[in-house]
Amino acid sequence: MQIQEVFDRRRFVLLDGGMGTQLQQRGLQPGQKPELAALEMPDVLTAIHADYAAAGADILLANTFGANTRKLAGTGYSVEQVVAASVACAKRAAAAKEALVGLDIGPLGELLAPAGTLPFSEAYDAFAEIIRAGVTAGADLIFLETMTDLYELKAAMLAAKEHSTLPVFVSMSFESRGRTFTGCSVESYGVTAAGLGADAIGINCSLGPAEILPFAQRLCRTVPAGVPVFVKPNAGLPNPDGSYNMDAKEFAREMQAYAAIGVSMVGGCCGTTPEYIAGLRESFAGRVPGRKIPISRSCLCTPVRFVEVNGITVVGERINPTGKKRLQQALRDGDSAYPCTQAVAQAEAGAEVLDVNAGLPGIDEAATLERLVTELQAVTDLPLQLDSSNPQALARALRVYNGKPIVNSVNGEQKTLDAILPLCRKYGAAVVGLTMDEQGIPTSAEGRFAIAKRIVDAACAAGIPREDIYIDCLTLTASAQQEGAAQTLAALARCKQELGVRTVLGVSNISFGLPCRGYLNTTFLTMAMAAGLDLAIMNPNTPEMMAAVRAYRVLTAQDKQSADYVAAYADVQIQAAQTTRSTAPEEQEKNGDPLFEAVRRGLKAEAHAAAEAALAEKDPLDVVNASLIPALDLVGDGFEKGTIFLPQLLQAATAAQAAFEAVKAKIADGGQAQSAGKGKIVVATVKGDVHDIGKNIVRVILENYGYDVLDLGRDVPPERVVEAVRTTGARLVGLSALMTTTVPNMKATIDALHAAGLDCKVWVGGAVLTPDFAKEIGADFYCKDAKASADLAKRILG
């Protein structure tokens, strides 16, 4: 049976349920790897699949969730062996019921750079290995699930699309605040996955039906009409003993809420069994999925920042080497620190998108643009405008971009359209079209409009949605072509009204060669906004231009209740010929501390340089306590409040680490006996568990608060933890577990520490844990995240 036959039935498609708990209930022993079930207990695995098929599942997921090189290391089995055996078990069970078999692929277990250490290319290679094996084994589709990092999902999707022709289903796991573990929003996920060509998009794991429902509704409003949406919730929320609080009948009853919102496939995740799927079959029998009505919107995004272009949007222009000697030199030197500081400064000034241009004679533009994109998305969460007409440069930059960018640009030349539009389509990017062709820039509005229409028609034919097409009618300098300004604005208005596309202008070009450029720029910007300008490429550090943007938003009711305007100018006092902002004394003091600011902004090179400068005048521990710790505290508070997210938290920690290296070097050079360390801590992922992302993040944060952290790694037996505490004298121990099957080993480790009579406190963390369960297994504390772990360390160790 082909997958289209499943959807043509005009009923809800049923997915299967949980696998790990089923294996455990049917004989999987503690410490035994579930990925090897097809080789070590094939009859049991086939029976589980058969039970799901008998319950009504249309799609069975092969037991390949963790069948990657990293998780199979040391088992003696290859990825090809495990995938082949696992798919074969599922296909034997599927044959009798004419079900389809999905190659199930989960996260690799490591954070991708820049938040982690795993290179994007290595993640891609690991996924490609699994996918090639799945294709050979005869899988019917590829199912990427339980992803929390949008960048990792992109690597897996590219591998799937480039190494198979199978349909690709994708799913991410969201926490109760509506973001993934790494901070990705539902909307950023939906538009990015759809842009990369996902054949179905869904949400699974972490939460129960009621908790996932509002996120599924948002996903249905985001994903294009022709792309199915699915959900696979857990059986409610976890109990202290690792079970779940919802039986099959209650699960089926709560799942009925999905019938009308546009979801067309339903199943279960952790805690669900064949009984749950049978309940869904009965509950959804005879029902037709409700119509999904997505909102058509022009948008750009990174994982944590979703920018809807609905009114005037500011694109920062400062990362463009034209006329900027300092940036030119930085690009020639391969120095990303300077453009990164420009990115952060523009973001703080009010830019919502950043233009990135590496077009400089004498350098490798493709390599430079790729590096810039990689470095910039480590320090800013703003979407990027990739400013190049070089197909090779764009291909490399688009590949490493995390989210949905905009490409600037194509023009009316057919060879340019043929080279760049397919790249935009493949990577799900929006595109800017310049109203020029082989004949140059038409002087009239009519001529520019004609080219714009040609570009729009070509982009639509290439599969790029109209809402992702932006037209630049080109700003000509008034000093040379004074009449051109009116023609630009007339063409812009026609494109907006007649073609139904968004518009772009490089505003500052209008004043080139004339004095008092700010007057002309601000006036032209205001005229362009009134004509329908959407993306203003400009310098956001120019106060009068940003004031014009904010004022225009108020007067056109884009800024509801003038909230943004008031936030920007409530404390501004207008004085003779200048604008000043009143600042609280404590704010002034911190803003004047280069080290504090560098760490807060996550600028690694600047933090190291600022630390060295501070150390020339201050004692090392004074630098740590006066600058490093307050900056980390500020970022940590933002993380706790949900105003910043994991990537920014880790980037600040990385910057602090660079500064801390300078501190340690100063101490060593001075031959001082004192140590910047505040106390010893042991952390470990318990025996049988190979998931260590959370534990690694905790380690990084604690180290940058000045604690000496011994990281024992993952799959650590209790006796090794006991020996490490005894040897180091650590007063604090952190234990991590992600799977319900390994939580008993966490209790065994705590019991071993108590039995050894060691004077230490133990805290635990992990997705399957709760404060009540932490108490039940004998832990002293429960910490929900890295920030909570740092707070605990400060309380216990000082």
Side-chain angles (χ1 to χ4, degrees):
M1 181 175 58
Q2 299 298 312
I3 192 163
Q4 193 56 46
E5 295 178 56
V6 174
F7 291 112
D8 287 345
R9 293 172 179 174
R10 295 300 300 145
R11 65 165 174 80
F12 280 90
V13 175
L14 294 183
L15 308 172
D16 62 7
M19 176 57 72
T21 49
Q22 284 291 289
L23 287 170
Q24 187 179 16
Q25 290 172 11
R26 304 192 195 196
L28 185 74
Q29 298 301 308
Q32 188 177 0
K33 288 186 179 295
E35 294 84 6
L36 303 183
L39 296 162
E40 298 177 347
M41 44 195 299
D43 292 341
V44 170
L45 178 59
T46 302
I48 294 171
H49 288 310
D51 287 347
Y52 277 123
D58 298 296
I59 297 175
L60 305 177
L61 298 185
N63 185 40
T64 51
F65 180 84
N68 63 69
T69 299
R70 285 162 173 73
K71 292 185 179 179
L72 294 179
T75 65
Y77 293 106
S78 68
V79 169
E80 291 78 9
Q81 289 174 303
V82 172
V83 169
S86 300
V87 171
C89 287
K91 289 182 77 70
R92 283 197 295 273
K97 297 294 183 178
E98 294 189 336
L100 297 174
V101 172
L103 177 69
D104 192 23
I105 302 177
L108 298 174
E110 297 181 45
L111 273 177
L112 270 67
T117 58
L118 180 63
F120 181 85
S121 59
E122 290 186 19
Y124 171 89
D125 290 341
F127 287 122
E129 182 180 21
I130 305 166
I131 288 157
R132 287 192 297 267
V135 171
T136 301
D140 298 304
L141 60 103
I142 295 166
F143 203 101
L144 310 173
E145 67 167 339
T146 325
M147 296 288 180
T148 61
D149 183 352
L150 189 64
Y151 211 24
E152 184 172 22
L153 179 66
K154 179 173 182 175
M157 286 192 67
L158 289 176
K161 290 291 183 178
E162 293 173 355
H163 291 274
S164 82
T165 57
L166 298 177
V168 180
F169 290 18
V170 301
S171 183
M172 294 195 83
S173 181
F174 290 85
E175 298 179 347
S176 58
R177 58 179 178 160
R179 291 182 179 267
T180 69
F181 172 67
T182 59
C184 182
S185 72
V186 172
E187 288 75 17
S188 290
Y189 160 51
V191 299
T192 302
L196 290 170
D199 296 283
I201 300 175
I203 298 173
N204 79 294
C205 206
S206 291
L207 303 169
E211 292 79 17
I212 286 178
L213 180 62
F215 309 146
Q217 290 171 321
R218 288 164 54 186
L219 191 61
C220 286
R221 292 193 291 267
T222 302
V223 171
V227 181
V229 170
F230 64 88
V231 292
K232 292 187 70 178
N234 289 346
L237 301 175
N239 294 314
D241 63 358
S243 65
Y244 286 81
N245 68 355
M246 187 175 290
D247 62 24
K249 289 184 178 179
E250 187 179 359
F251 182 81
R253 186 167 57 251
E254 286 205 0
M255 288 293 289
Q256 290 178 15
Y258 290 91
I261 69 170
V263 166
S264 57
M265 294 186 283
V266 293
C269 203
C270 298
T272 62
T273 68
E275 182 185 3
Y276 287 70
I277 305 308
L280 291 180
R281 181 185 62 193
E282 295 177 9
S283 183
F284 285 86
R287 294 193 177 195
V288 175
R291 183 185 174 198
K292 177 160 57 68
I293 307 176
I295 300 171
S296 177
R297 48 191 170 189
S298 298
C299 59
L300 307 168
C301 74
T302 60
V304 303
R305 182 72 70 94
F306 185 81
V307 176
E308 184 172 356
V309 183
N310 185 21
I312 188 66
T313 301
V314 175
V315 181
E317 67 180 6
R318 301 298 297 167
I319 309 176
N320 185 321
T322 303
K324 303 179 184 70
K325 293 183 179 180
R326 177 67 181 86
L327 180 58
Q328 291 174 5
Q329 191 59 49
L331 295 181
R332 290 193 178 97
D333 294 342
D335 172 21
S336 296
Y338 180 73
C340 283
T341 60
Q342 290 294 305
V344 172
Q346 290 183 98
E348 293 184 344
E352 295 151 287
V353 180
L354 297 178
D355 184 82
V356 184
N357 186 304
L360 186 65
I363 68 170
D364 183 341
E365 182 183 0
T368 303
L369 188 60
E370 179 185 19
R371 186 182 70 251
L372 273 178
V373 169
T374 302
E375 296 291 338
L376 288 170
Q377 60 191 12
V379 299
T380 179
D381 62 4
L382 295 187
L384 301 182
Q385 176 172 271
L386 307 178
D387 190 351
S388 176
S389 57
N390 181 330
Q392 290 75 31
L394 288 172
R396 290 176 64 170
L398 285 167
R399 194 168 187 83
V400 299
Y401 181 82
N402 192 6
K404 177 183 177 181
I406 183 169
V407 167
N408 184 10
S409 58
V410 296
N411 56 47
E413 295 185 41
Q414 193 61 46
K415 65 177 183 181
T416 302
L417 295 169
D418 291 342
I420 295 177
L421 290 181
L423 288 173
C424 296
R425 178 69 183 91
K426 174 179 179 177
Y427 291 105
V431 63
V432 173
L434 306 181
T435 54
M436 59 185 292
D437 58 15
E438 299 91 337
Q439 308 304 316
I441 304 172
T443 57
S444 68
E446 290 78 8
R448 296 186 209 180
F449 177 81
I451 295 176
K453 187 176 186 307
R454 194 160 74 240
I455 293 171
V456 172
D457 290 343
C460 290
I464 298 173
R466 190 172 292 265
E467 59 267 23
D468 286 343
I469 304 170
Y470 295 69
I471 293 296
D472 187 341
C473 291
L474 298 170
T475 304
L476 304 179
T477 175
S479 62
Q481 294 173 283
Q482 195 166 357
E483 298 79 8
Q487 296 299 316
T488 294
L489 297 181
L492 183 152
R494 284 194 66 186
C495 289
K496 187 74 178 282
Q497 295 163 9
E498 299 179 37
L499 299 179
V501 296
R502 296 297 194 266
T503 58
V504 187
L505 282 178
V507 177
S508 303
N509 294 340
I510 195 70
S511 63
F512 185 77
L514 293 170
C516 295
R517 296 185 64 184
Y519 296 157
L520 278 170
N521 291 345
T522 305
T523 302
F524 181 67
L525 170 63
T526 304
M527 295 170 68
M529 290 189 292
L533 179 63
D534 295 293
L535 290 185
I537 304 175
M538 53 180 265
N539 183 359
N541 297 300
T542 306
E544 60 268 27
M545 293 187 74
M546 285 304 300
V549 169
R550 293 185 176 113
Y552 183 82
R553 287 172 174 163
V554 170
L555 299 175
T556 55
Q558 295 174 41
D559 181 4
K560 301 301 181 184
Q561 285 80 49
S562 306
D564 291 339
Y565 187 87
V566 171
Y569 301 120
D571 59 350
V572 168
Q573 301 170 352
I574 304 298
Q575 298 178 354
Q578 67 177 1
T579 303
T580 59
R581 180 182 297 276
S582 61
T583 307
E586 63 271 21
E587 250 184 1
Q588 290 176 342
E589 182 179 350
K590 288 305 176 191
N591 289 342
D593 182 345
L595 178 55
F596 177 93
E597 287 299 311
V599 172
R600 179 183 69 81
R601 295 176 172 186
L603 299 172
K604 183 177 178 180
E606 285 76 5
H608 188 272
E612 289 186 328
L615 289 166
E617 302 176 356
K618 299 179 182 178
D619 180 80
L621 289 184
D622 287 342
V623 171
V624 171
N625 293 325
S627 298
L628 288 179
I629 298 304
L632 286 171
D633 283 344
L634 182 68
V635 174
D637 288 343
F639 177 74
E640 193 169 292
K641 294 172 183 175
T643 56
I644 68 167
F645 304 98
L646 183 62
Q648 295 97 320
L649 178 70
L650 289 176
Q651 198 61 32
T654 301
Q657 188 171 26
F660 202 69
E661 290 302 319
V663 171
K664 290 191 286 188
K666 178 71 172 181
I667 291 173
D669 289 345
Q672 301 175 43
Q674 69 184 103
S675 170
K678 293 184 173 183
K680 292 182 171 59
I681 301 174
V682 171
V683 297
T685 298
V686 297
K687 183 175 177 57
D689 205 314
V690 296
H691 300 86
D692 62 353
I693 289 178
K695 181 263 298 173
N696 291 345
I697 293 168
V698 168
R699 183 199 70 228
V700 170
I701 300 301
L702 289 173
E703 285 177 341
N704 289 286
Y705 269 99
Y707 299 104
D708 297 324
V709 183
L710 174 60
D711 183 356
L712 299 179
R714 55 193 181 186
D715 192 18
V716 180
E719 56 271 18
R720 188 174 169 208
V721 177
V722 170
E723 181 60 28
V725 174
R726 182 180 288 116
T727 302
T728 63
R731 294 171 48 208
L732 195 55
V733 178
L735 301 177
S736 173
L738 186 68
M739 302 184 294
T740 56
T741 54
T742 58
V743 169
N745 293 330
M746 182 175 278
K747 183 179 187 305
T749 303
I750 295 171
D751 290 344
L753 288 168
H754 290 164
L758 297 170
D759 182 22
C760 65
K761 298 292 184 182
V762 181
W763 95 89
V764 295
V768 296
L769 298 175
T770 64
D772 289 340
F773 191 34
K775 291 180 182 178
E776 187 173 312
I777 63 176
D780 297 292
F781 306 99
Y782 163 79
C783 292
K784 64 178 182 177
D785 53 36
K787 173 61 167 56
S789 301
D791 291 342
L792 174 65
K794 285 188 283 185
R795 192 163 82 243
I796 300 299
L797 302 179

